[in-house]
């Protein structure tokens, strides 16, 4: 019954869409950060992880705050009740390929899988402290 305004919508697209959305009284349920695509990014490069709140670079964290404020403002203008945020990530090697391997080999729940997950969780737990205390 409604729409999410999301991070692939450029300022130009928003300007074209807005009159129709308002005229048709379209319900905007949510806004997905960063909306519209921040002007410092190419229009096709918008995404919810464009600027990480957990970055160790102050400039990137500042941009996350700046462009999130813009998303919140857009949500208020459209009457959206929700703003979807990606707050960052823990900087560790991805384990996705290993998880797919366990799945493909039907080893989910195996001793090897359980040990792999235990070690992965330990590494993530060590790494998360920095990401959670960066601000």
């Amino acid at each position: 019954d409604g729409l999410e305004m999301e991070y692939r919508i450029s300022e130009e697209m928003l300007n074209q869409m807005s009159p129709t959305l308002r005229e048709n009284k379209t319900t905007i349920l949510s806004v997905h950060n960063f909306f519209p695509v921040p002007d410092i990014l190419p229009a096709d490069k918008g995404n919810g992880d464009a600027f990480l709140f957990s970055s160790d670079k102050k400039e990137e964290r500042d941009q996350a705050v700046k462009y999130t404020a813009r998303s919140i403002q857009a949500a208020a203008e459209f009457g959206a009740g929700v703003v979807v945020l990606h707050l960052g990530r823990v900087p560790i090697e991805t384990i996705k390929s290993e998880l797919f391997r366990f799945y493909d080999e039907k080893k989910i729940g195996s001793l090897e899988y359980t040990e792999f997950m235990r070690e992965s969780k330990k590494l993530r737990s060590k790494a998360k402290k920095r990401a959670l205390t960066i601000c």
Side-chain angles (χ1 to χ4, degrees):
D1 292 337
L3 300 174
E4 175 176 87
M5 303 302 279
E6 53 103 35
Y7 55 78
R8 287 176 275 216
I9 297 173
S10 68
E11 186 79 40
E12 181 181 348
M13 290 168 67
L14 178 60
N15 290 337
Q16 291 172 358
M17 294 167 57
S18 289
T20 302
L21 292 172
R22 293 183 201 295
E23 181 180 308
N24 294 336
K25 297 185 172 130
T26 303
T27 301
I28 306 301
L29 300 171
S30 60
V31 168
H32 196 299
N33 212 24
F34 297 93
F35 173 82
V37 175
D39 54 2
I40 64 171
L41 295 175
D44 63 341
K45 297 298 181 198
N47 74 68
D49 292 324
F51 308 105
L52 298 176
F53 288 95
S54 61
S55 174
D56 59 357
K57 297 177 181 94
K58 182 181 182 325
E59 180 180 311
E60 183 173 356
R61 293 191 313 271
D62 289 348
Q63 288 174 323
V65 170
K66 173 184 174 179
Y67 291 109
T68 296
R70 192 166 164 224
S71 297
I72 292 169
Q73 180 181 13
E77 288 172 13
F78 283 106
V82 174
V83 177
V84 178
L85 304 176
H86 297 199
L87 296 177
R89 63 176 83 107
V90 176
I92 59 171
E93 278 297 310
T94 181
I95 63 170
K96 187 166 55 173
S97 62
E98 280 297 300
L99 292 174
F100 284 134
R101 182 183 67 80
F102 282 116
Y103 178 80
D104 290 342
E105 294 176 6
K106 298 181 179 19
K107 291 185 175 179
I108 300 294
S110 70
L111 186 58
E112 179 187 3
Y113 169 83
T114 302
E115 182 59 27
F116 173 77
M117 291 305 295
R118 183 177 18 256
E119 288 302 312
S120 296
K121 287 176 182 179
K122 271 200 258 182
L123 290 172
R124 187 176 192 281
S125 185
K126 284 173 106 174
K128 76 179 181 183
K129 292 179 177 105
R130 171 117 174 97
L132 293 174
T133 59
I134 204 101
C135 297

